[in-house]
Amino acid sequence: MSITHTPRDRANAHDMDPDPYTQTVARLAREFAGSFSEPGIEMVLDGCIEDLSGVPSAAMPEMSERLAQERITSYCRSRDRDFTGSWRS
């Protein structure tokens, strides 16, 4: 996976229309505001798109967003448990 600098570049690198990519980042940023940074969301989404490379392009926006939601949610839960399984006080 190559590192690119704009949502449009990243979307084009993954054969995903830039508008759905940008919209997906914006939705995830709203959903995880205060819990996860937008650059972090872009990194997770890029990884999800890469991992789903065999998925038909029409399904990519929805599938990559769902996978990114799951990965970010899982990370936030682990972080809230201090990565040890014990809840922070």
Side-chain angles (χ1 to χ4, degrees), residues 16-58:
M16 186 174 169
D17 185 14
D19 292 334
Y21 182 93
T22 302
Q23 292 168 2
T24 299
V25 170
R27 279 192 300 275
L28 291 169
R30 281 190 306 273
E31 182 175 349
F32 294 102
S35 297
F36 211 80
S37 70
E38 190 168 321
I41 288 168
E42 291 176 351
M43 289 174 62
V44 171
L45 184 60
D46 288 349
C48 292
I49 292 168
E50 191 70 25
D51 290 346
L52 296 168
S53 61
V55 170
S57 59

